[in-house]
Amino acid sequence: QKEVEQDPGPLSVPEGAIVSLNCTYSNSAFQYFMWYRQYSRKGPELLMYTYSSGNKEDGRFTAQVDKSSKYISLFIRDSQPSDSATYLCAMSDNYGQNFVFGPGTRLSVLP
Amino acid sequence: DAGITQSPRHKVTETGTPVTLRCHQTENHRYMYWYRQDPGHGLRLIHYSYGVKDTDKGEVSDGYSVSRSKTEDFLLTLESATSSQTSVYFCAISEDSSYNSPLHFGNGTRLTVT
């Protein structure tokens, strides 16, 4: 079992839909959680980061962490074609030295 | 792109040759990292640096070495390139190791070893 699992997709949704992206993990020591967006031929771009459990909202994006279930989610409201990208989750038990990344979910938002 | 420049952007090399990739930052951040990205594996840490001349190994360090002689430059060397090192290599930086200092990535170097 990989340390971080993520459905690779592709996930196709119509414009305006609510998108749910998820990661599961096995290491209960993880306490820092991040979501990155990666466009084709570009580097990952930080979207959200959270510490421990709970929700965090930033514009159309909401990140949720459920440490009891070892499950994190990223919700995108009112999705746009410009949201079409690969979304990576990342987590760490010791911030700054050893983040573990999921393989990414490819999202396509259709106009 | 957070002031990170990777060079070259693309490289094709032959098995057995040495290759050096360069990461240059203009942010004066303390931490610098080299990751590789392969389909189905996500990003995996090769080496990282926590200051000039201070480096440590990551998850997939075999066959790679690094050097950091200046704050702004972090070099990754493949001592004798193999086909398994065909990948996209990303440099990342962070200001320090605290929670409020996330990773910022460059745009990558696409390396093909034939």
Side-chain angles (χ1 to χ4, degrees):
Chain A
Q1 182 190 9
K2 291 184 179 178
E3 204 165 10
V4 177
E5 304 263 11
Q6 195 173 1
D7 187 331
L11 176 64
S12 293
V13 301
E15 183 175 354
I18 296 175
V19 176
S20 172
L21 303 166
N22 310 296
C23 286
T24 58
Y25 61 94
S26 56
N27 187 346
S28 59
F30 287 148
Q31 54 184 335
Y32 301 105
F33 303 93
M34 297 184 175
W35 285 97
Y36 285 84
R37 177 176 63 196
Q38 186 175 22
Y39 292 115
S40 181
R41 307 275 173 165
K42 293 288 191 178
E45 170 194 10
L46 180 70
L47 280 178
M48 304 278 287
Y49 63 95
T50 57
Y51 171 71
S52 193
S53 289
N55 295 359
K56 184 174 182 178
E57 187 174 322
D58 185 1
R60 296 185 296 112
F61 298 92
T62 299
Q64 284 186 353
V65 175
D66 182 349
K67 290 187 69 180
S68 62
S69 302
K70 300 191 185 69
Y71 188 88
I72 67 170
S73 300
L74 178 71
F75 296 95
I76 307 174
R77 291 184 299 280
D78 187 25
S79 56
Q80 302 296 308
S82 59
D83 294 327
S84 298
T86 297
Y87 290 80
L88 311 174
C89 63
M91 48 201 76
S92 175
D93 62 356
N94 182 16
Y95 189 94
Q97 279 81 52
N98 189 22
F99 273 103
V100 179
F101 285 80
T105 297
R106 192 152 55 94
L107 172 67
S108 181
V109 181
L110 306 174
Chain B
D1 296 325
I4 305 169
T5 304
Q6 292 187 233
S7 59
R9 291 298 312 278
H10 299 89
K11 175 89 177 167
V12 180
T13 192
E14 293 184 349
T15 298
T17 59
V19 177
T20 296
L21 309 183
R22 181 182 184 237
C23 178
H24 178 80
Q25 59 141 332
T26 58
E27 306 297 320
N28 201 36
H29 282 0
R30 179 183 173 194
Y31 282 79
M32 299 186 75
Y33 309 77
W34 278 107
Y35 284 86
R36 61 178 289 174
Q37 186 175 39
D38 304 289
H41 286 279
L43 286 155
R44 292 180 291 174
L45 182 65
I46 304 171
H47 283 278
Y48 68 96
S49 168
Y50 46 96
V52 173
K53 298 192 189 305
D54 293 322
T55 65
D56 206 348
K57 296 179 180 180
E59 175 190 359
V60 290
S61 60
D62 287 349
Y64 302 95
S65 62
V66 290
S67 65
R68 191 169 178 200
S69 58
K70 296 185 289 185
T71 299
E72 58 266 35
D73 290 327
F74 193 32
L75 304 180
L76 176 71
T77 297
L78 287 65
E79 292 135 12
S80 177
T82 68
S83 58
S84 65
Q85 293 176 312
T86 292
S87 186
V88 182
Y89 291 85
F90 287 100
C91 174
I93 65 174
S94 66
E95 188 168 3
D96 54 43
S97 62
S98 71
Y99 164 60
N100 290 318
S101 182
L103 294 176
H104 295 282
F105 287 86
N107 279 325
T109 294
R110 189 170 296 268
L111 176 68
T112 302
V113 183
T114 61

